Amino acid sequence: MPAVTVVGVGPGDPDLLTVAAVRAIAAAAVVAYPVAQPEAEGMAARIAAPWIAPGQRRLPLLFPMVEEPEPRIAAWHAAADALAAEVAAGRSVVLLCEGDASLYASCSYALLALRRRHPGCALTVVPGITAVAAAAAAASSLGLPWPLALQQESLLIRPTPETPAELEALLERSAAEGTVLALLKLGRRWAWLRPLLERRGLLGQCLFARRVGWPDQLLASADQVPAEEQPYFSLLLIRQAWPAVLP
Ligand SMILES: C[S@@+](CC[C@H](N)C(=O)[O-])C[C@H]1O[C@@H](n2cnc3c(N)ncnc32)[C@H](O)[C@@H]1O
């Protein structure tokens, strides 16, 4: 039966697709993927490129990166309608999503819009590998073992705070509660974040991860990374303490 299958890909490395993801792509007549501009290639499509056959039709879905709600809502509706139209015409379609489709993903909005606007449309989701898990694994593979959470610890995955005051408060709460932090959307905020972490003596306990899975990936202890603007595809893991009993 034709369906929409939302598929997590990467992050970065085309080998970081599950068997289910590769099979879903192979079985689809149409491969949809988010783009931020009309002619852009799309990060998810780039990652999945080795798994897309020349005969498969590509369907870029425009998700503009703007603050105003109206154009974004219109784009989510348009994406849901385009996906549902393929299924109604008897074609299976995969929607590619960088990392996992449930974590800060444009595809989540398409999924919500699809459910609301086309409740009869068959829909499956194939989980992906989040950038946080990929960063921890890549660091460990490079000799910087980085368990995300142990024993009674919590793991908080969230966008990087907008201000130093917010970060200070977050660090204090996390230290008190035994929470490991994974800060996404680090980018330009690294320029003020690094000096703040240095002042608190935390740099050596942070893992900096840039473009994980790409040939130019960088995984490093944060004290090795200068305080300058970083690309959008960068994140920071912060562990302020370790459990008492360790190997
Ligand atoms: C919109 S979120 C997408 C998260 C994605 N759905 C996931 O499951 O990881 C984008 C943020 O995730 C992080 N990210 C995604 N891919 C990354 C990569 N390859 N390397 C480093 N960080 C990445 C960055 O912090 C980036 O700003």
Side-chain angles (χ1 to χ4, degrees):
M1 189 174 81
V4 174
T5 307
V6 185
V7 167
V9 302
D13 186 348
D15 278 357
L16 292 181
L17 267 74
T18 62
V19 174
V22 171
R23 285 195 178 135
I25 294 170
V30 181
V31 179
Y33 48 90
V35 292
Q37 278 130 26
E39 299 307 321
E41 185 186 7
M43 182 61 89
R46 224 167 118 191
I47 295 167
W51 307 107
I52 304 172
Q56 288 178 296
R57 184 154 60 77
R58 287 170 172 253
L59 178 63
L61 300 174
L62 185 62
F63 294 113
M65 302 283 238
V66 294
E67 289 291 324
E68 307 78 56
E70 292 79 12
R72 290 190 294 139
I73 293 169
W76 300 329
H77 288 179
D81 294 353
L83 294 168
E86 297 295 343
V87 172
R91 292 183 286 273
S92 273
V93 49
V94 282
L95 172 57
L96 307 177
C97 174
E98 203 252 355
D100 184 72
S102 67
L103 195 70
Y104 301 111
S106 314
C107 294
S108 289
Y109 298 103
L111 214 141
L112 290 168
L114 199 61
R115 259 297 141 265
R116 179 164 287 191
R117 293 168 73 81
H118 304 278
C121 181
L123 175 69
T124 312
V125 180
V126 176
I129 298 166
T130 74
V132 173
S140 299
S141 306
L142 292 169
L144 293 169
W146 237 99
L148 287 171
L150 295 162
Q151 300 173 16
Q152 298 308 308
E153 293 169 347
S154 315
L155 171 66
L156 176 59
I157 302 176
R158 54 155 292 162
T160 303
E162 288 296 342
T163 66
E166 280 176 67
L167 180 66
E168 299 265 14
L170 178 63
L171 288 170
E172 265 151 45
R173 270 199 318 276
S174 306
E177 293 167 2
T179 298
V180 176
L181 291 170
L183 302 183
L184 305 186
K185 305 181 185 180
L186 184 61
R188 61 187 160 76
R189 297 172 189 88
W190 180 241
W192 61 260
L193 215 98
R194 190 196 191 279
L196 190 156
L197 294 170
E198 187 167 28
R199 268 199 312 281
R200 295 181 73 106
L202 284 175
L203 272 185
Q205 288 149 257
C206 300
L207 177 78
F208 177 91
R210 183 169 76 205
R211 291 175 60 82
V212 179
W214 294 97
D216 60 349
Q217 76 171 8
L218 174 68
L219 279 303
S221 173
D223 49 10
Q224 305 298 308
V225 185
E228 49 199 39
E229 182 168 337
Q230 296 295 330
Y232 175 74
F233 285 101
S234 52
L235 62 85
L236 191 72
L237 303 182
I238 306 176
R239 169 181 279 287
Q240 299 186 74
W242 288 85
V245 183
L246 285 172

